[in-house]
Amino acid sequence: MASKYTLFLLLLLHFRSATCDQEQPNIIKLGFSLSPTNHPTSWLSPSGRFAFGFYQNGNGFSVGIWMMGEIENTTTWTANRDDPPVPSTAKLELTMDGKLLLRTESKNSKPIASVRESASYAAMNDSGNFILYNRDHRVIWDSFSFPTDTLMGGQSLSRGAALFSSVSKSNRSTGRFRLEMQYDGNLVLYPIHTPNISVDAYWATDTSDRWSKKNLDLHLNSTGALLLINITDSTVDVTLNDGSLAFNNSIMYRAVLDSNGILQLYSHSFNGFYENKTTLLWSKPDNKCSVKSFCGFNSYCTLDDDQPVCRCLPGTDFIDMDEKSHGCERNFTEEWCKDAGRSTSSPNIVPMENMDWDDPPYFQAEMQEDDCNKSCLEDCDCDVALLDSEGHCMKQKLPLKYARRDPQALSKAFFKVGLEGVKKKQTGDNTSQEPPTVIIRTKDATVLLLVVTLGLVMWSFIALAISGLFAFKLRFLEYRRLLDRGDIGLSEELALRSFSYKELKRATNGFKEELGKGSFGAVYKGSLSRGKRIIAVKRLEKVINEGEREFCAEMRVIGRTHHKNLVRLLGYCAEGTKRLLVYEFMSNGSLADLLFRSQRRPDWNERVRIALEIAKGILYLHEECDAPIIHCDIKPQNILMDDFWTAKISDFGLAKLLMPDQTRTFTGVRGTRGYMAPEWQKNTPISVKTDVYSYGIMLLEIVCCRRSMEVNVQRPEEIVLSSWVYKHFEARELEKLVWGEEIEKKSLENLIKVGLWCIQDEPALRPSMKCVVMMLEGITDIAVPPCPTAASS
Ligand SMILES: *[C@@H]1O[C@H](CO)[C@@H](O)[C@H](O)[C@H]1NC(C)=O
Ligand SMILES: *[C@@H]1O[C@H](CO)[C@@H](O)[C@H](O)[C@H]1NC(C)=O
Ligand SMILES: *[C@@H]1O[C@H](CO)[C@@H](O)[C@H](O)[C@H]1NC(C)=O
Ligand SMILES: *[C@@H]1O[C@H](CO)[C@@H](O)[C@H](O)[C@H]1NC(C)=O
Ligand SMILES: *[C@@H]1O[C@H](CO)[C@@H](O)[C@H](O)[C@H]1NC(C)=O
Ligand SMILES: *[C@@H]1O[C@H](CO)[C@@H](O)[C@H](O)[C@H]1NC(C)=O
Ligand SMILES: *[C@@H]1O[C@H](CO)[C@@H](O)[C@H](O)[C@H]1NC(C)=O
Ligand SMILES: *[C@@H]1O[C@H](CO)[C@@H](O)[C@H](O)[C@H]1NC(C)=O
Ligand SMILES: *[C@@H]1O[C@H](CO)[C@@H](O)[C@H](O)[C@H]1NC(C)=O
Ligand SMILES: *[C@@H]1O[C@H](CO)[C@@H](O)[C@H](O)[C@H]1NC(C)=O
Ligand SMILES: *[C@@H]1O[C@H](CO)[C@@H](O)[C@H](O)[C@H]1NC(C)=O
């Protein structure tokens, strides 16, 4: 009897506690858990409008909060949004020791809410807030304090915090835009990964105070007003929308930074189960195409049926047809600029109305339309010119970041595009300079032997004759005159030889084997002394200086340079209009091949050695020759590797042939894009510091083993190597530049510091090559470099 009574009591107790739970279904007790497949998969708010739990994400599941019935459109919060989805075996658990954990395997778990205190219970609030409480019913964590891309009525975005858009409706990972509640009181929309500066902003409340910090938070109140409020005294500073509706319990408000970068405010009214209604109340910016970087590099945004779409600029194609926001790349090579500005082929100009962009131009002046067009056409650096309504002609290089088509803009753009049929090669640049090739012995070695012997006999005969003349007849000056004529096969440096055209034609087997094409002309492989000595013969095209005399004088200057890090000039040929140079043959190709193309990435010590060798070579050109030689075209393609992988600089001294007066400015002749110092564009004098700049860019390439411009990267900020490097340098995360390599930190930092000093926009700030060598050798300390572009902006 007694036992029956106890059982009844127990049952009663059990029943009562069960009803208690039903009265407060939103209280989540310790020990409760959810699984993605077994019911329940989520915890509901008391009214059932909001749910917290697992939702389907791709093939797996993620944890988040959403409005019931509209999970796809109203996921208001996602836990650890950038983590991959979890499998169906995962478990979400409020553990007995008061932690909210997501377990994927029995041993593997990750906190959803990181709190030091342990929770006593949790609740899904009817406002859309998931809250953890402690023993004293105090809130110790809530999802409203960690917004992702959404603010709900009653939620705030505090100073210094930001909303980040999602990738898409179905993928809630961090997307491409951010809404920043700045400390200065301004609420601003930016593309992600841009600095907090106005050129990158595409919408702002302009509520900043220049003189003091304003304690402003963004707040969406429960009646749908978006406010900037002073948190210290709760005064409203600005009301962004004009919505001040009466309080209605069946209407919820939701502000979201959409995946296309638009900030939108919605109302959701719940009128019973079948009549829920979603209304768009307010959105900013009004023009969907003003969202910066909605379209990727080299593409522009235009409205098609009120929807923004991306199109490629003339002369470019989408990098990825399936992902048009990744931008476009050129579909032709600039044939007309490859040969230092004087080529027979010339580009077409495609005009386009109503274009606009905010990318800063490198050149700006008032001009007429025709002049603007012409000016760009004649300027090798100009990829596009924009003539605005006030007649400013702004010349620009690609890539363009923020282009858009705006029917209101009274501007006209002139795009330079390639000629039909001049198509870009698909796999990067395949125009190698001097790739290593197999040695082929010349077939008619006997003929060559004869010729060479004959040549040698002739040569010695002439030499004899000359010395005879010298001995018997002529005074010193006359001797010089003969030497200067250069056609007698003698020079001050016995090592430097003058060849006849025929001789070289034979040595190269009729210019049969082309090693590559440089900025001055093609290079052919040849051999002398019955194939014993392999040579590289460069046939110069487009030399301004017609005079044989000056050419030979120049050759002797180059011939006098002897340094182990310079490619040796063995001889030359100046016959009529023909100009050829004979160099020692470099069997291991160029530094560009080694860095960018080979399977074997040179190890760190080798890279440091190469960097130092090149620096010593340039130092010799700048300071140890009779007159400084400015190279003007330092780049990895012009650094060649000999049999022992010693780095040697080639093509030095040649720039002078194309520009007689090196100390002044000149147009038409340029270095190579990407390695050119800013003074090329600024009409300021070219000096040895120009080479220092190019060296700096190349040094960063050597450090990172990647090109200075790389379009096929994951993030747009990685395109330009120098700014990417500076960003990581500033953030003290250099190891990210050399991913997966074990490099001594100090050594890496030193090389990067030297590189950043060399690429300062202001030539005076760049160190001399002597200083560079000393820094690389560790003889002098290296100060922390400023931002390379700081001096010019
Ligand atoms: C979501 O997008 C990110 C970034 O684009 C991507 O890494 C991730 O794989 C995507 N997730 C799913 C489930 O598709
Ligand atoms: C309307 O919202 C309620 C939550 O308040 C939800 O249970 C219901 O499924 C929704 N109805 C529709 C048609 O989405
Ligand atoms: C989400 O919104 C789109 C348009 O904004 C609508 O077509 C779609 O039906 C919505 N999905 C749900 C589940 O309500
Ligand atoms: C929970 O929601 C109610 C209204 O739905 C609100 O008044 C209350 O402040 C919310 N509590 C928290 C901690 O957000
Ligand atoms: C922008 O400013 C916010 C604070 O207002 C800061 O947290 C954030 O790191 C800044 N972002 C950049 C890229 O400077
Ligand atoms: C929300 O803000 C508006 C505008 O300041 C105000 O009129 C309204 O009373 C506010 N609502 C609540 C519930 O405080
Ligand atoms: C915000 O509140 C603080 C503290 O009350 C006050 O000193 C400050 O002047 C207020 N700022 C504005 C812009 O009203
Ligand atoms: C609240 O809004 C609903 C739907 O818009 C409406 O039917 C209802 O009358 C409103 N209630 C009040 C008190 O205004
Ligand atoms: C390059 O792309 C444009 C379209 O953007 C196209 O009109 C042009 O014909 C293409 N040029 C070449 C050489 O493929
Ligand atoms: C631009 O200039 C070139 C050469 O002067 C000319 O052929 C072309 O028609 C001009 N284009 C426009 C749009 O003015
Ligand atoms: C360069 O072109 C040749 C054929 O012309 C091809 O075999 C080779 O793979 C190309 N190299 C690269 C790096 O694209």
Side-chain angles (χ1 to χ4, degrees):
M1 197 60 193
S3 67
K4 258 189 181 173
Y5 184 67
T6 338
L7 188 69
F8 174 73
L9 249 178
L10 273 171
L11 268 172
L12 190 75
L13 271 171
H14 180 79
F15 197 67
R16 287 196 70 171
S17 70
T19 45
C20 259
D21 280 351
Q22 267 170 6
E23 273 163 20
Q24 286 181 301
N26 61 323
I27 292 294
I28 297 130
K29 291 182 178 173
L30 298 185
F32 276 31
S33 66
L34 291 174
S35 122
T37 43
N38 301 337
H39 236 69
T41 59
S42 60
W43 290 314
L44 299 185
S45 69
S47 68
R49 278 180 199 165
F50 286 94
F52 173 89
F54 285 106
Y55 66 88
Q56 181 100 34
N57 180 2
N59 296 327
F61 298 87
S62 291
V63 173
I65 299 172
W66 63 92
M67 278 185 186
M68 284 305 280
E70 276 198 85
I71 186 163
E72 179 195 338
N73 287 343
T74 64
T75 308
T76 60
W77 185 80
T78 302
N80 304 327
R81 68 195 300 203
D82 290 321
D83 285 359
V86 293
S88 59
T89 52
K91 214 170 157 196
L92 178 65
E93 195 177 343
L94 185 61
T95 61
M96 291 312 285
D97 53 354
K99 287 187 187 126
L100 187 62
L101 295 179
L102 178 63
R103 292 186 197 280
T104 39
E105 284 142 38
S106 49
K107 281 187 208 114
N108 205 344
S109 67
K110 189 163 182 180
I112 294 288
S114 40
V115 267
R116 280 207 205 105
E117 229 176 310
S118 40
S120 288
Y121 63 99
M124 182 66 240
N125 197 307
D126 257 343
S127 55
N129 196 4
F130 186 78
I131 307 162
L132 294 182
Y133 294 93
N134 68 2
R135 207 178 297 134
D136 312 322
H137 311 291
R138 226 168 28 81
V139 176
I140 55 170
W141 183 91
D142 68 338
S143 63
F144 269 15
S145 303
F146 303 91
T148 50
D149 63 348
T150 305
L151 290 184
M152 293 301 299
Q155 190 175 358
S156 296
L157 182 68
S158 48
R159 285 171 308 149
L163 293 185
F164 291 91
S165 70
S166 296
V167 171
S168 68
K169 262 185 190 149
S170 52
N171 186 342
R172 317 294 303 179
S173 298
T174 308
R176 294 160 49 210
F177 306 96
R178 65 187 217 271
L179 175 71
E180 193 93 42
M181 183 67 245
Q182 295 184 167
Y183 285 107
D184 62 5
N186 210 356
L187 180 71
V188 194
L189 283 168
Y190 296 105
I192 201 162
H193 302 311
T194 54
N196 294 335
I197 50 175
S198 60
V199 276
D200 292 305
Y202 60 88
W203 176 79
T205 53
D206 294 324
T207 43
S208 62
D209 191 327
R210 246 188 296 165
W211 293 280
S212 65
K213 286 188 174 176
K214 277 173 136 185
N215 293 341
L216 292 184
D217 280 9
L218 173 66
H219 180 70
L220 176 62
N221 79 9
S222 54
T223 55
L226 261 177
L227 313 165
L228 294 182
I229 58 170
N230 186 334
I231 40 158
T232 23
D233 52 13
S234 295
T235 51
V236 173
D237 196 85
V238 188
T239 308
L240 299 177
N241 56 343
D242 49 26
S244 133
L245 306 147
F247 180 75
N248 185 329
N249 200 23
S250 60
I251 299 180
M252 308 281 326
Y253 296 91
R254 179 175 68 100
V256 58
L257 180 58
D258 201 82
S259 54
N260 60 15
I262 311 271
L263 180 62
Q264 293 171 322
L265 177 67
Y266 289 96
S267 73
H268 298 266
S269 57
F270 299 91
N271 303 333
F273 279 83
Y274 301 103
E275 287 180 70
N276 301 345
K277 212 173 114 205
T278 303
T279 317
L280 176 64
L281 300 177
W282 177 90
S283 82
K284 281 285 175 263
D286 297 323
N287 182 348
K288 289 180 180 153
C289 270
S290 54
V291 176
K292 283 182 180 166
S293 85
F294 176 77
C295 294
F297 282 58
N298 296 336
S299 59
Y300 66 94
C301 179
T302 181
L303 288 175
D304 184 4
D305 208 9
D306 205 39
Q307 286 308 306
V309 288
C310 298
R311 303 241 165 88
C312 282
L313 295 177
T316 65
D317 281 338
F318 283 114
I319 293 172
D320 183 354
M321 277 310 281
D322 300 324
E323 206 36 86
K324 296 198 168 155
S325 63
H326 285 182
C328 308
E329 60 184 350
R330 285 209 129 151
N331 61 2
F332 60 89
T333 46
E334 299 154 83
E335 292 293 331
W336 56 86
C337 272
K338 234 170 74 185
D339 302 314
R342 46 200 75 247
S343 167
T344 43
S345 73
S346 67
N348 282 343
I349 291 278
V350 174
M352 223 170 147
E353 310 263 1
N354 311 118
M355 292 299 290
D356 202 7
W357 52 77
D358 305 312
D359 301 62
Y362 70 83
F363 172 89
Q364 176 170 350
E366 272 188 43
M367 269 186 214
Q368 295 293 316
E369 191 176 312
D370 287 345
D371 296 333
C372 188
N373 169 12
K374 207 163 150 241
S375 161
C376 185
L377 200 54
E378 285 170 358
D379 183 347
C380 250
D381 289 323
C382 179
D383 292 323
V384 52
L386 182 72
L387 187 71
D388 72 7
S389 54
E390 279 133 51
H392 296 115
C393 180
M394 289 169 280
K395 292 201 279 185
Q396 200 93 41
K397 274 206 244 196
L398 293 186
L400 279 185
K401 242 198 309 187
Y402 299 143
R404 61 186 175 270
R405 186 162 205 174
D406 180 359
Q408 252 99 62
L410 295 171
S411 52
K412 190 167 182 178
F414 301 95
F415 290 92
K416 231 187 221 177
V417 304
L419 301 164
E420 293 289 324
V422 190
K423 231 186 158 107
K424 188 180 169 180
K425 289 196 182 92
Q426 284 304 307
T427 44
D429 79 308
N430 207 347
T431 53
S432 91
Q433 205 78 358
E434 262 138 294
T437 32
V438 205
I439 294 164
I440 304 167
R441 284 177 173 277
T442 53
K443 278 176 198 154
D444 42 11
T446 11
V447 179
L448 190 73
L449 173 71
L450 240 156
V451 168
V452 169
T453 333
L454 249 166
L456 274 171
V457 168
M458 286 280 286
W459 189 69
S460 15
F461 181 76
I462 294 169
L464 243 164
I466 298 233
S467 37
L469 280 172
F470 178 66
F472 293 113
K473 279 184 184 169
L474 292 174
R475 292 201 310 264
F476 177 68
L477 273 176
E478 279 160 322
Y479 172 51
R480 255 211 93 92
R481 185 180 56 80
L482 273 172
L483 276 180
D484 282 351
R485 273 179 56 215
D487 53 4
I488 43 170
L490 235 197
S491 66
E492 284 158 90
E493 292 288 340
L494 271 176
L496 195 65
R497 240 188 88 182
S498 166
F499 293 85
S500 74
Y501 184 71
K502 257 188 167 165
E503 228 175 327
L504 293 180
K505 194 168 171 188
R506 204 159 294 143
T508 56
N509 210 354
F511 302 105
K512 202 167 152 201
E513 193 181 339
E514 189 178 307
L515 292 171
K517 238 181 158 67
S519 22
F520 301 95
V523 183
Y524 302 89
K525 190 169 167 177
S527 57
L528 292 176
S529 324
R530 287 164 79 194
K532 271 193 196 132
R533 176 151 215 184
I534 313 288
I535 53 168
V537 177
K538 177 165 272 184
R539 189 148 67 168
L540 299 182
E541 293 151 14
K542 299 146 201 132
V543 174
I544 296 181
N545 209 333
E546 294 301 334
E548 239 167 66
R549 198 189 145 97
E550 287 88 345
F551 177 79
C552 297
E554 207 53 64
M555 285 309 106
R556 272 195 301 277
V557 171
I558 298 175
R560 264 200 300 268
T561 54
H562 287 296
H563 190 271
K564 78 177 176 57
N565 299 118
L566 299 180
V567 175
R568 265 286 288 285
L569 180 69
L570 301 176
Y572 59 90
C573 161
E575 242 179 55
T577 57
K578 296 190 181 76
R579 299 283 182 273
L580 293 98
L581 304 178
V582 181
Y583 286 105
E584 56 181 336
F585 178 74
M586 296 285 123
S587 58
N588 278 321
S590 74
L591 178 62
D593 298 330
L594 186 64
L595 289 182
F596 314 135
R597 228 170 281 166
S598 71
Q599 290 90 346
R600 182 190 74 97
R601 182 189 251 213
D603 72 19
W604 180 250
N605 290 335
E606 195 174 353
R607 266 139 72 201
V608 173
R609 170 184 63 79
I610 290 171
L612 185 61
E613 283 175 350
I614 301 166
K616 284 180 174 166
I618 303 175
L619 170 64
Y620 176 87
L621 289 175
H622 284 181
E623 292 181 23
E624 288 157 28
C625 294
D626 298 344
I629 296 176
I630 307 177
H631 190 293
C632 288
D633 200 11
I634 297 278
K635 58 179 177 182
Q637 287 81 2
N638 279 339
I639 310 297
L640 304 180
M641 313 302 292
D642 74 1
D643 300 359
F644 311 103
W645 296 96
T646 306
K648 297 190 177 214
I649 301 168
S650 79
D651 272 5
F652 55 89
L654 299 191
K656 217 166 172 183
L657 296 175
L658 302 179
M659 34 188 167
D661 189 354
Q662 275 205 322
T663 54
R664 286 223 315 274
T665 62
F666 32 78
T667 51
V669 185
R670 295 290 156 118
T672 304
R673 297 158 65 85
Y675 303 91
M676 278 187 318
E679 54 264 32
W680 287 105
Q681 288 147 25
K682 284 191 189 151
N683 242 26
T684 43
I686 301 303
S687 69
V688 287
K689 293 296 180 71
T690 308
D691 283 348
V692 176
Y693 182 93
S694 310
Y695 175 78
I697 295 284
M698 190 168 69
L699 182 59
L700 298 182
E701 291 185 319
I702 293 172
V703 168
C704 304
C705 280
R706 59 151 275 195
R707 287 171 209 276
S708 64
M709 286 272 206
E710 189 78 78
V711 183
N712 299 325
V713 286
Q714 284 179 339
R715 298 178 174 177
E717 76 266 19
E718 289 176 23
I719 291 184
V720 179
L721 176 65
S722 52
S723 44
W724 182 57
V725 168
Y726 187 71
K727 198 181 139 233
H728 284 304
F729 175 75
E730 219 184 358
R732 300 177 167 278
E733 40 189 33
L734 292 179
E735 65 286 349
K736 290 197 177 159
L737 297 170
V738 285
W739 221 80
E741 273 190 284
E742 289 273 319
I743 295 175
E744 197 215 334
K745 211 169 161 219
K746 190 79 197 152
S747 168
L748 174 65
E749 189 183 318
N750 280 352
L751 251 64
I752 286 181
K753 282 202 300 207
V754 173
L756 290 172
W757 272 116
C758 290
I759 61 167
Q760 294 293 318
D761 270 5
E762 175 53 49
L765 286 178
R766 294 174 211 151
S768 67
M769 279 322 285
K770 180 158 224 142
C771 195
V772 168
V773 169
M774 289 199 325
M775 290 193 286
L776 290 177
E777 286 182 329
I779 297 168
T780 40
D781 286 340
I782 313 167
V784 174
C787 177
T789 52
S792 64
S793 56

